[in-house]
Structures are given as structure tokens and as C-alpha cells.
Amino acid sequence: MKIYNVLTVAAAAFGIASCGTTDTEVPTVCDSDNLTGLPSVLFDEIEVDAGSTVVVHDAFCDDTELGEVRWDLHSAEGHEHEEGEEEEFVLNSGTDWAKLETRALTGTKAEEQFSFDVPLEARGVWDLVVSVVDAEGNAAPDVIALVHVENDHIPAFILQTVDGVDPSSWEGEPMWAPGSEVTIAGAVVDSDGVSEAEVLLIRESDETVVWSESLAVNGETSLDFTVQVVVPSDAEVGEYHFEMEATDGTGVEMHTGFHVEVE
């Protein structure tokens, strides 16, 4: 799993100026004078709607002089952070959406706002990682808030069991063996009806589809399904992605899924 190392370059640059100084205290994300009711990275979770614009308001403090803050918004799928609690299993859609912004800070306290537009195709959980360093290069521990994106615009897959197990109980990626058959039970729903739906097993090294099955949908707003995923007996060992795709009655598409280790 990839661990994000933040502000390494910035901290090194500020460190050049810190030689011979005695300032070793790190900056903080501190109490804000914000009276607007805007969310803060200090919230455990920030709930937002797809298609909306979100503004996060925070204050940053240092005993001598602030230096820089960076906001890093990215999908929580497929990795974990050293800081923060372990994230539960969530089916994310629109996972290529991300935003990175760096801003200079001055003084011993500064209040700043970070804004982002949530795409209509996004659903699931994103990490908002805030990293701050002071003018001497002292880096604070990252502060991480979960951004939970709700979406009533795109179809949704709901997984009940994978190989007889509730995915919410998983610790890490599931492991499937070459030649095995894995039963997946769930549902696909959309208020405009589901016109097409397909599930696929894709080898990530070259994006080859090694197994797929179309679901028998006919405009239903909710369809329960059970499929037998057949992992080819000659499947290469490595990373795969179980992909779920659906199109609703108005032509809106959705893609989601989860990672699988074949070994």
C-alpha cells in the first residue's frame, strides 16, 4: 500500500534556513475564529454532495513564523496513511478526481480557506490531508479528514457478500487463487432505472479483462444479483481489479470496484 510522504521537499528547503537556529517547535492546525459554519480539517468527517462546491476553513499557528501549508485531496481507495484511523471498506466512483494546492503563510497565526468542486461522477470517501511547515522547516504531523461524497445522480452497487464474507469485515485486499470460483452477491440500484450493468475482473498490469459477465437488467430501479467469478487457472500472480459498471435509464454511467490480489 502506498503511504503518502508530504512536504518533504518543502521541509528540506526551509531546513536550509534553519541551520544554527534554536526553533524546534512545530506549527499546528489551531483553533479558528471562523464564524461562518464552514467545515474544518479538524472534523473527523466532512459530508458533501456530488456536484457541489465545498469550502474548508482552518487556522494555522506557530510560535515564531509560519511558512507554508499544503492541501492534498485524493481518493482514499487503495492506500492507507500513517496518521488517522483505518478506513472502512467503501465502493468509490470517480476515483481519478484529486486536487493539490500549496500556499505561503506569514505571521504566527493565519486563517485560510481551501475550496474544491465535487464532480457529478464522484461517490465514496476521499482523504483531505493538510500539511504545514514553519519558516524554519519544522513540519507538523499531517492532519487528515475524511471527505464523504454522497451521490444520488449515478447508479450504485451494493455488495452484500464476497466469497461468503461481508466486505466491511475485510482487513486489506481479498486474495483469490488461480482457478478458483468466487461468489459475489449484491444489488445495483438507480431511481431512473438500470439499463446496462456488467462486472469484470481486470489484470492491472496491462488492463486485460480476464473474466466478465453482463447482468440481466431491464430498466429495474433495483436488481439483486449473484455471480460466480471464475479466476482463470493460468492467471498471472499480481494485482487485479474487480470492476462494476452500470448505466441508468438516462444514460448516466458509473464505474466502481475493489482491488484483488491473485496468488
Side-chain angles (χ1 to χ4, degrees):
M1 298 289 186
K2 182 177 179 182
I3 304 295
Y4 281 76
N5 295 317
V6 297
L7 284 187
T8 302
V9 175
F14 282 120
I16 295 174
S18 68
C19 295
T21 71
T22 58
D23 179 11
T24 59
E25 289 194 28
V26 301
T28 61
V29 180
C30 54
D31 291 336
S32 170
D33 296 329
N34 174 28
L35 301 177
T36 65
L38 295 173
S40 162
V41 73
L42 296 177
F43 290 10
D44 290 335
E45 184 171 280
I46 301 172
E47 295 186 358
V48 304
D49 293 321
S52 65
T53 297
V54 180
V55 179
V56 177
H57 183 114
D58 281 294
F60 308 96
C61 297
D62 187 67
D63 61 323
T64 55
E65 181 70 21
L66 290 162
E68 186 175 85
V69 61
R70 185 172 83 169
W71 295 269
D72 182 356
L73 178 68
H74 55 262
S75 170
E77 181 185 30
H79 71 277
E80 59 187 16
H81 288 274
E82 292 177 337
E83 299 83 0
E85 298 180 358
E86 184 176 344
E87 294 157 10
E88 64 182 27
F89 174 80
V90 175
L91 288 173
N92 273 28
S93 302
T95 52
D96 58 348
W97 165 55
K99 183 174 182 179
L100 183 67
E101 183 174 328
T102 302
R103 196 175 302 165
L105 301 174
T106 59
T108 58
K109 183 174 183 179
E111 301 211 14
E112 298 286 342
Q113 294 184 349
F114 171 67
S115 65
F116 54 90
D117 296 324
V118 186
L120 273 176
E121 65 271 16
R123 175 194 284 127
V125 177
W126 271 251
D127 288 326
L128 177 57
V129 182
V130 174
S131 311
V132 59
V133 297
D134 67 16
E136 296 294 339
N138 299 306
D142 292 340
V143 178
I144 304 170
L146 299 183
V147 178
H148 195 160
V149 181
E150 301 284 354
N151 194 322
D152 295 327
H153 177 69
I154 61 177
F157 276 92
I158 302 166
L159 288 182
Q160 296 158 350
T161 59
V162 176
D163 206 18
V165 177
D166 184 344
S168 64
S169 66
W170 285 350
E171 294 183 3
E173 297 176 352
M175 290 184 290
W176 298 350
S180 63
E181 294 188 8
V182 180
T183 302
I184 297 182
V188 56
V189 300
D190 191 278
S191 59
D192 294 313
V194 181
S195 63
E196 295 179 30
E198 186 177 17
V199 291
L200 313 93
L201 182 61
I202 300 172
R203 186 170 60 222
E204 293 192 358
S205 62
D206 56 7
E207 296 298 314
T208 296
V209 177
V210 301
W211 174 91
S212 66
E213 183 173 319
S214 295
L215 304 182
V217 295
N218 190 28
E220 301 98 326
T221 57
S222 178
L223 174 71
D224 294 327
F225 66 87
T226 300
V227 295
Q228 290 286 125
V229 182
V230 179
V231 183
S233 58
D234 60 351
E236 297 178 6
V237 171
E239 293 286 335
Y240 288 70
H241 193 249
F242 184 73
E243 181 84 8
M244 294 173 281
E245 304 175 350
T247 304
D248 73 10
T250 65
V252 174
E253 299 178 348
M254 185 276 299
H255 304 264
T256 190
F258 56 86
H259 294 276
V260 175
E261 183 79 21
V262 172
E263 62 177 38

